[in-house]
Amino acid sequence: MILQPEFESLPRPQLQALQAERLSEVVRYAYERVPFYRERLDDLGLKPDEVSGTDDLTLVPFTRKSDLRDHYPFGMFAVPMSEVVRIHASTGTTGQPTVVGYTRHDLEIFATVCARTLAAAGAQPGMILHNAYGYGLFTGGLGFHHGGEHLGLAVLPISGGGTVRQVDLMLDFRPEVLACTPSYALTLAEELARRGVSPEDVPIRIAILGAEPWTESMRAEVDRLLGARSTNVYGLSEIVGPGVASECTEERAGSHVAEDHFLAEVVDPETGAVLPEGQAGVLVVTTLTKQALPLLRYWTGDVTSLSSEPCACGRTLVRMAPLKGRTDDMLIVRGVNVYPTQIEAVIGSFAELTPNYRLVVSRPGRLDELCVEAELSTAFLLKVVAETPGEVAKTLCEELVDANHALRSVRERLAQAIKTTVGVSVKVRLLEPGAAPRSEGGKIVRVVDERQLV
Ligand SMILES: [Zn+2]
């Protein structure tokens, strides 16, 4: 279902005209109301009127996360606090958190784009939404809460964590729609499987997953274990929260950007030059309609590419490819760029392994070492134990893997497959089932960097 065909299916020339009109308004608005933008443009001798079309946008410098931090907490707001009705903040894993404000109008946009996301995934009024995104400063929970209500769903604001209770209620209330992080969907699926609930008895039919990059192999796993059809949602709190872009259930091949509200560009990470469609680079977003925190050319750090190829769903909105990763998450190991999702995709191709893993980077001598901790599936380990009784103890240790041909083979093949596809030599450590970190609803930490970089 397309919630707002008047925007989502607008012929592209009309959509681009609408973007150009809104762009010139937001540049003037930001210039007049945010001292940061006034100084920036004045320094360049650029008048807001000179940015009248999307082609002129390249004249405007990027806004970075550090700019938001430098103006912590409210220095980038374009309205007085009397017009702000909500404040969210990102978890500050490095440095200060970034703070975002919303006017009543901004919250309407937020609810609308989340409602569009739910509709694009196949949700319809009358369905129950099990909303396991975290409620609080994180935008996921409240975003989908209001989006669900906007669409006419019955929203269960269960938030993250408390997996046993989540599954109790899921089996009692029988919600058709689930919204959470992909890693938490797997945690829920494991708990359902532990109770012997088969995928066809799981009520969930639609899963809207986001807030962390994920792969097609993980999607296949979630779909299989929950008996659902999952779609991706993309967003970041600085821009609005979830709903900046969302996949349609028809194609599930890239997320449609809500271009009437957010103008997307993909730029070269080194030079900042705008890249043509299809080429991967950093996603840069300009908000076209937001009041409290208008952002011009915000550098998201997320690596993707764009496509305006027609889509079976009928939306004309440009699609962004699944995230390759964030430039923030990218590891440089012995000079090779490594995205955790690349390794996740390789792990996903091994039937002997679960999708749970951890990457540990260290520097034992002068060289980086990347250790991939991959978790064996229970079924595979039981098979190995049955075939080689006495050889595999309850606790898996390196000596046992060394001694067992089947386990050694998995370890060697995984290292070889990563070397071939990612281009980096890794050490593989096999973990027993359940030993890799699990999501408790929030973002999961899969990378541990133990290098002392000075
Ligand atoms: Zn589509």
Side-chain angles (χ1 to χ4, degrees):
M1 179 177 106
I2 300 181
L3 185 67
Q4 293 185 302
E6 68 276 26
F7 294 112
E8 295 176 79
S9 303
L10 200 59
R12 287 204 66 78
Q14 282 164 255
L15 180 63
Q16 279 154 354
L18 177 71
Q19 285 191 309
E21 185 191 315
R22 290 183 169 179
L23 177 65
S24 57
E25 279 169 25
V26 76
V27 171
R28 196 176 328 111
Y29 177 86
Y31 181 85
E32 285 168 1
R33 288 168 173 253
V34 184
F36 167 80
Y37 283 120
R38 178 182 287 266
E39 285 163 25
R40 271 266 171 110
L41 268 56
D42 282 349
D43 284 350
L44 291 166
L46 189 65
K47 298 269 170 291
D49 296 348
E50 291 173 59
V51 186
S52 56
T54 45
D55 289 346
D56 304 331
L57 185 58
T58 52
L59 299 170
V60 177
F62 300 116
T63 305
R64 300 200 181 243
K65 202 176 193 122
S66 56
D67 294 322
L68 290 170
R69 292 211 174 109
D70 291 346
H71 295 83
Y72 176 85
F74 309 133
M76 298 276 281
F77 284 15
V79 297
M81 203 51 80
S82 56
E83 291 176 36
V84 174
V85 294
R86 171 131 28 111
I87 296 167
H88 278 286
S90 73
T91 47
T93 43
T94 49
Q96 270 158 339
T98 45
V99 180
V100 292
Y102 302 74
T103 64
R104 206 168 292 284
H105 164 85
D106 295 339
L107 286 184
E108 276 167 26
I109 294 169
F110 190 16
T112 304
V113 294
C114 284
R116 283 185 192 177
T117 299
L118 287 157
Q124 288 173 8
M127 291 181 173
I128 297 176
L129 168 63
H130 185 103
N131 187 14
Y133 276 117
Y135 281 64
L137 290 177
F138 172 60
T139 46
L142 283 172
F144 273 99
H145 183 97
H146 291 286
E149 290 183 348
H150 186 93
L151 186 61
L153 307 182
V155 182
L156 182 71
I158 193 145
S159 194
T163 305
V164 168
R165 184 149 177 271
Q166 298 243 0
V167 169
D168 287 345
L169 293 187
M170 192 179 274
L171 294 172
D172 290 345
F173 294 0
R174 307 204 63 76
E176 297 90 339
V177 189
L178 168 68
C180 62
T181 61
S183 54
Y184 195 57
L186 282 179
T187 301
L188 290 170
E190 275 186 343
E191 175 61 18
L192 284 157
R194 198 186 61 78
R195 297 191 193 185
V197 182
S198 65
E200 49 282 13
D201 294 329
V202 176
I204 302 299
R205 290 289 161 263
I206 295 161
I208 298 145
L209 311 178
E212 54 193 26
W214 54 309
T215 54
E216 285 302 321
S217 59
M218 195 149 162
R219 174 175 356 234
E221 194 75 359
V222 170
D223 286 3
R224 186 176 65 80
L225 295 171
L226 291 178
R229 191 166 165 83
S230 54
T231 54
N232 179 58
V233 58
Y234 171 78
L236 62 169
S237 63
E238 297 93 310
I239 298 303
V240 78
V244 173
S246 36
E247 269 183 343
C248 57
T249 186
E250 289 87 347
E251 287 209 6
R252 303 201 298 181
S255 302
H256 291 284
V257 179
E259 287 183 285
D260 48 329
H261 296 296
F262 313 112
L263 196 160
E265 303 169 274
V266 166
V267 305
D268 185 303
E270 303 296 328
T271 65
V274 177
L275 295 173
E277 260 194 48
Q279 276 193 33
V282 172
L283 179 72
V284 169
V285 179
T286 298
T287 65
L288 295 175
T289 51
K290 267 181 47 189
Q291 293 177 335
L293 185 69
L295 291 178
L296 307 180
R297 303 196 87 202
Y298 186 71
W299 184 277
T300 66
D302 292 319
V303 180
T304 184
S305 61
L306 297 175
S307 165
S308 59
E309 287 290 306
C311 185
C313 70
R315 286 176 186 79
T316 52
L317 303 172
V318 78
R319 278 180 284 175
M320 54 183 277
L323 292 190
K324 218 175 151 193
R326 290 182 60 83
T327 44
D328 295 356
D329 294 342
M330 189 184 77
L331 290 164
I332 302 177
V333 180
R334 294 191 297 276
V336 181
N337 296 348
V338 179
Y339 291 99
T341 48
Q342 292 176 291
I343 291 178
E344 184 179 309
V346 178
I347 290 173
S349 67
F350 278 72
E352 301 91 338
L353 302 171
T354 76
N356 302 296
Y357 67 98
R358 197 169 78 129
L359 307 179
V360 182
V361 200
S362 58
R363 189 171 282 174
R366 294 222 307 269
L367 284 178
D368 298 335
E369 189 176 279
L370 175 58
C371 180
V372 177
E373 298 182 342
E375 186 183 279
L376 292 163
S377 78
T378 308
F380 176 68
L381 193 58
L382 286 176
K383 188 162 153 269
V384 170
V385 172
E387 282 167 7
T388 51
E391 204 179 312
V392 181
K394 199 160 176 288
T395 305
L396 199 66
C397 67
E398 290 291 302
E399 295 86 72
L400 287 167
V401 179
D402 289 338
N404 183 279
H405 170 73
L407 295 175
R408 215 168 51 229
S409 161
V410 173
R411 192 174 66 185
E412 282 159 17
R413 283 185 289 121
L414 180 59
Q416 186 55 47
I418 291 170
K419 172 78 183 155
T420 310
T421 52
V422 187
V424 67
S425 299
V426 299
K427 219 178 108 192
V428 170
R429 210 178 131 224
L430 296 178
L431 305 179
E432 57 195 290
R438 295 291 193 277
S439 167
E440 271 305 309
K443 292 191 188 191
I444 187 165
V445 178
R446 293 206 191 274
V447 179
V448 179
D449 197 335
E450 294 176 341
R451 289 174 293 189
Q452 300 287 323
L453 299 179
V454 281

